[in-house]
């Protein structure tokens, strides 16, 4: 198999022998593709299968391009934004940063990895507005396994994310069980079914009868409840900002370049590929070649890449559409089904509320509440119904929604919550996959050099470490190795196969 990045390194070497370019360019080229760099054996570049690229054509084009660019001030440009990067990650939230970390940690100097992020303050990113919960209690095996991977990662976070000479990261992980409640026989059956699967996969989850629930949580009202399900390990919450800061800092320390800029479009090129009819004939196909980035100074700057990863969270649908996904014919007519959906989080105070053994309570109404520290502070929320979905143009909060939707459910379950007070609130966007509310991970079937890692819809931060590892495997090994995530690829959308997760919060 011929690899794109090998080809390009090779091209540079030949170019050095054959063209007498300006010293400036050679300096930059050798720092980007240092001759000591080796592509690890078996490195797979997505979309670069045999016959996908005409090697000679790429070499010749590279010669011509590089010769031209020898006259430009590349050193200066590169300080802000590289002209090319083997992998460009679009979006530097927790998913993009996790991919950057896992990938760079694995490939080291043999590939350049660049992250394009428009807002280094992350003021509207889902990551920083999330409530940072981790649970094992899902209905899809893939989601359970993603959580298990992340739980192990969090346990060993100091090993993964420490940087020499700096304080090891502390994401302030607080163990806290999730408690799911069932009121009907159908929901109780579902809970039993899920618990069997969770146990099969090694998760420690226990079913509690009504009496056991009453004994364990005497301050709660279980009059309308049949059973509950509680996680015994690998559940809790952490500080999302601290996780993002640690992941990003580690990625940077390994050599990942973060560019502050906004993705505004793509440039394409034709490449020849064998016709699928086996005739041995070739046809021209469009391929993603460069991403246009609008820098802080307003200038647009293209970055050439071998593959890009669309990790722009709730905006990843927008970025896909910039590449024409959802706008063409056939496969290209199908959009990436990810969009922002606004979710409110209310911080409440109830001095007489439950304390240490209060779980992350998921009421059958979907209302959730958990402790925030130990002195009567909690955070809570609920996902609205389709009819209640709020306007997404601004991140303002609807306090009425708490009054009429959330508070009654809380007070019904924990009578002490009749006396709570809302102290503050915020809103954030779920990276909502309106097809089936699960992550979409893997190459686009037409633009094979765009990889999706998006759409987790409310469980993305806990799965980010596992997603980072999975995308790395896809790039380096050409397949998922640790967790088989094939069912979560874009193909399921083309085929109309929804993978429903029963436990969406
Ligand atoms: C209220 C709330 C509670 C949540 N609770 C949980 C929870 O308990 N557990 C859990 O696992 N998950 C939770 N989530 C979901 C979780 O936060 C997300 O799934 C996760 O953070 C997604 O990460 P991301 O990196 O994909 O997206 P983001 O964090 O949104 O990052 C995407 C980045 O892309 C950048 N970007 C977008 N467009 C462009 C562009 N054109 N050019 C350049 N950059 C661009 C953005 O600036 C942004 O920084 C919650 C979310 C919300 C809103």
């Amino acid at each position: 198999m011929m690899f794109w990045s090998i080809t390009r390194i090779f091209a540079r070497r030949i170019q050095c022998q054959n063209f007498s370019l300006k010293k400036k360019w050679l300096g930059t080229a050798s720092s980007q593709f240092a001759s000591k760099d080796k592509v690890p054996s078996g490195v797979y570049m997505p979309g670069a299968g045999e016959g996908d690229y005409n090697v000679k054509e790429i070499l010749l084009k590279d010669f011509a391009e590089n010769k031209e660019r020898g006259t430009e001030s590349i050193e200066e440009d590169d300080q802000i934004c590289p002209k090319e990067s083997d992998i460009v990650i679009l979006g530097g939230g927790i998913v993009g940063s996790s991919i950057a970390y896992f990938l760079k940690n694995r490939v080291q100097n043999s590939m350049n990895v660049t992250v394009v992020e428009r807002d280094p303050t992350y003021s509207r990113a889902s990551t920083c507005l999330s409530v940072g919960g981790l649970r094992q209690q899902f209905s899809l095996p893939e989601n359970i396994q993603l959580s298990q991977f992340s739980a192990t990662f969090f346990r060993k976070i100091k090993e993964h994310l420490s940087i020499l000479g700096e304080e090891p990261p502390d994401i302030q992980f607080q163990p806290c069980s999730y408690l799911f409640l069932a009121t009907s026989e159908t929901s109780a059956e579902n809970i039993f079914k899920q618990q069997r699967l969770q146990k099969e996969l090694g998760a420690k989850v226990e079913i509690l009868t009504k009496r056991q629930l009453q004994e364990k949580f005497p301050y709660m009202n279980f009059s309308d409840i049949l059973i509950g399900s509680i996680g015994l390990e690998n559940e809790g919450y952490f500080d999302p900002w601290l996780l993002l800061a640690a992941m990003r800092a580690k990625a940077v320390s390994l050599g990942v370049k973060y560019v502050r800029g906004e993705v505004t479009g793509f440039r394409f090129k034709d490449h020849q590929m064998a016709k699928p009819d086996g005739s041995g004939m070739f046809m021209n196909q469009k391929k993603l070649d460069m991403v246009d980035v609008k820098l802080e100074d307003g200038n647009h700057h293209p970055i050439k890449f071998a593959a890009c990863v669309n990790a722009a969270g709730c905006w990843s649908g927008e970025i896909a559409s910039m590449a024409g996904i959802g706008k063409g014919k056939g496969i290209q007519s199908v959009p990436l089904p990810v969009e922002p959906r606004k979710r409110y989080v209310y911080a409440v105070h109830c001095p007489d509320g439950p304390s240490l053994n209060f779980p992350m309570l998921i009421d059958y109404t979907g209302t959730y509440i958990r402790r925030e520290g130990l002195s009567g502070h909690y955070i809570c929320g609920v996902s609205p119904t389709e009819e209640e979905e709020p306007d997404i143009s601004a991140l303002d909060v609807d306090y009425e929604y708490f009054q009429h939707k959330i508070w009654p459910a809380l007070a019904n379950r924990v009578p002490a919550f009749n006396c709570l007070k809302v102290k503050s609130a915020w809103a954030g966007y779920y990276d909502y996959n309106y097809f089936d509310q699960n992550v979409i991970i893997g190459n686009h079937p037409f633009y094979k050099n765009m990889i999706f890692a998006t759409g987790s819809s409310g469980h993305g931060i806990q799965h980010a470490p596992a997603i980072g590892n999975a995308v790395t495997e896809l790039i380096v090994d050409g397949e998922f190795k640790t967790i088989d995530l094939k069912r979560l690829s874009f193909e399921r959308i083309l085929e109309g196969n929804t993978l429903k997760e029963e436990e969406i919060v």
Side-chain angles (χ1 to χ4, degrees), residues 90-96 116-119 122 124-134 178 238 261-264 311-316 318-319 322 341 343-345 360 368 426-431 453-463:
L90 314 172
I94 193 58
V95 172
V116 181
E117 170 54 55
R118 66 180 168 198
D119 175 17
Y122 295 100
R124 298 196 318 147
S126 307
T127 299
C128 298
L129 298 166
S130 117
V131 302
L134 166 73
Y178 275 66
F238 51 90
E262 177 164 15
V263 172
T264 55
C314 63
W315 299 280
S316 54
E318 250 173 50
I319 287 193
M322 290 176 201
R341 294 268 178 117
R343 298 291 177 262
Y344 307 119
V345 182
M360 169 70 132
Y368 70 84
W426 73 88
Y429 296 124
Y430 267 19
D431 44 333
T454 182
S456 290
S457 318
H459 42 276
I461 195 162
Q462 64 192 288
H463 288 168

Side-chain angles (χ1 to χ4, degrees), residues 71-226:
T71 57
E72 292 172 15
S73 173
I74 286 165
E75 269 175 357
E76 242 176 55
D77 264 354
D78 268 357
Q79 284 170 14
I80 313 163
C81 185
K83 291 229 165 208
E84 56 190 16
S85 178
D86 294 305
I87 305 291
V88 179
I89 298 168
L90 314 172
I94 193 58
V95 172
S97 294
S98 169
I99 296 166
Y101 157 68
F102 275 96
L103 183 59
K104 196 65 180 164
N105 196 38
R106 173 106 185 253
V107 301
Q108 311 248 320
N109 288 332
S110 61
M111 270 187 208
N112 318 107
V113 179
T114 301
V115 177
V116 181
E117 170 54 55
R118 66 180 168 198
D119 175 17
T121 69
Y122 295 100
S123 56
R124 298 196 318 147
S126 307
T127 299
C128 298
L129 298 166
S130 117
V131 302
L134 166 73
R135 62 181 155 115
Q136 312 291 293
Q137 297 178 73
F138 284 98
S139 67
L140 276 186
E142 288 89 344
N143 283 336
I144 300 167
Q145 289 170 301
L146 288 166
S147 286
Q148 288 173 324
F149 181 99
S150 294
T152 308
F153 178 88
F154 292 146
R155 211 170 286 121
K156 295 184 176 170
I157 196 155
K158 292 192 169 126
E159 251 171 63
H160 287 285
L161 301 186
S162 288
I163 299 173
L164 201 64
E166 289 182 20
E167 279 286 302
D170 177 4
I171 59 167
Q172 302 193 356
F173 189 88
Q174 303 288 324
C176 179
S177 299
Y178 275 66
L179 175 65
F180 285 84
L181 297 174
T183 47
S184 68
E185 288 198 357
T186 318
S187 58
E189 268 167 33
N190 274 343
I191 282 191
F192 275 117
K193 202 168 100 198
Q194 287 162 22
Q195 192 232 17
R196 276 197 297 277
L197 175 69
Q198 289 152 4
K199 277 189 146 175
E200 256 172 55
L201 292 171
K204 294 210 170 93
V205 179
E206 193 178 31
I207 301 280
L208 298 178
T209 61
K210 190 170 180 152
R211 175 184 288 196
Q212 287 169 321
L213 285 166
Q214 277 158 346
E215 279 168 13
K216 204 168 169 66
F217 307 108
Y219 49 82
M220 280 199 226
N221 160 30
F222 295 110
S223 56
D224 53 345
I225 297 299
L226 293 180

